[in-house]
Amino acid sequence: MTDIDLAAIEHYRSVAERLRTHAEARGDKVALQSIDQGSEITWGGLYGACNQVAAALGARGIGANDRVVVLTDNSLENLILYYGVQRHGATFCTVNVEINREHLREIIERLEPRLVLWHDALDGEALGAGMPGEWVPFGEWGEVPHGDFFSEAAAYSPSAEPAEVSGPEDVGVVCFTSGTSDKPKGVMH
């Protein structure tokens, strides 16, 4: 990391803090809505789900800057994981599952993830199951648990507030773009 803006750090508010603030102020208001899925989640529900995801990540020993790759289409589950991974303090790594398999494998290898979460509606083997990281499937949020990551998360109380494991100097998200070169390039923020 290069120069750190100390003034910015003084005003830093973590994802957990921001989620908590919204849940307290507008807990029963819709936070996310999926027209395609015909479902939605309130700020209170999102904060609770993120607490559960954070607790499950903590139980797996995931820490600050540990990379968690999420392989799924656009969905509420993707956003629950997006906020939940950051709420915990790990690094959320989003990868477009519709890119060619060579680029997908290259990206996953370059990320060296601790954990790869992939939607069970996708073909895990075709995605690269067995590559770096522990590969764990997940299904739909709120369905009857069936031995996937979300069933692990559901074992924790949504009102529990697991400790955050990162701070303002840590990486929250890594995403890739092909840009003009057709070669995957990572961007951290």
Side-chain angles (χ1 to χ4, degrees):
M1 177 166 244
T2 58
D3 297 329
I4 296 174
D5 182 354
L6 296 178
I9 289 176
E10 289 177 21
H11 299 290
Y12 170 79
R13 291 183 55 213
S14 69
V15 170
E17 186 179 349
R18 291 173 187 272
L19 286 168
R20 183 181 317 108
T21 299
H22 283 290
E24 289 170 354
R26 55 187 69 79
D28 61 343
K29 303 283 189 215
V30 174
L32 303 171
Q33 182 177 38
S34 172
I35 295 169
D36 293 340
Q37 292 174 292
S39 57
E40 60 187 31
I41 190 168
T42 64
W43 282 105
L46 178 61
Y47 183 59
C50 290
N51 285 338
Q52 290 173 296
V53 167
L57 292 170
R60 286 181 165 274
I62 302 296
N65 295 312
D66 282 344
R67 295 179 180 144
V68 178
V69 169
V70 175
L71 302 173
T72 187
D73 293 316
N74 293 334
S75 63
L76 282 181
E77 289 75 21
N78 187 26
L79 292 170
I80 288 168
L81 291 169
Y82 174 82
Y83 289 112
V85 168
Q86 291 181 81
R87 186 260 171 263
H88 176 62
T91 303
F92 179 89
C93 305
T94 184
V95 181
N96 180 352
V97 296
E98 296 179 9
I99 63 173
N100 74 54
R101 295 301 179 226
E102 180 184 319
H103 285 176
L104 181 67
R105 292 175 192 279
E106 178 185 342
I107 290 169
I108 293 170
E109 286 175 358
R110 286 175 56 195
L111 284 169
E112 299 178 346
R114 280 277 313 272
L115 181 63
V116 178
L117 299 172
W118 56 278
H119 196 285
D120 62 9
L122 301 171
D123 181 350
E125 190 172 316
L127 291 172
M131 293 181 58
E134 180 181 1
W135 285 63
V136 179
F138 66 92
E140 307 301 317
W141 181 260
E143 284 189 354
V144 176
H146 58 280
D148 65 4
F149 182 75
F150 283 150
S151 66
E152 290 176 29
Y156 298 95
S157 169
S159 61
E161 296 195 14
E164 297 173 64
V165 298
S166 69
E169 68 282 354
D170 295 308
V171 176
V173 177
V174 175
C175 55
F176 277 79
T177 179
S178 61
T180 57
S181 68
D182 192 39
K183 289 287 186 191
K185 293 180 282 295
V187 178
M188 300 183 298
H189 49 100

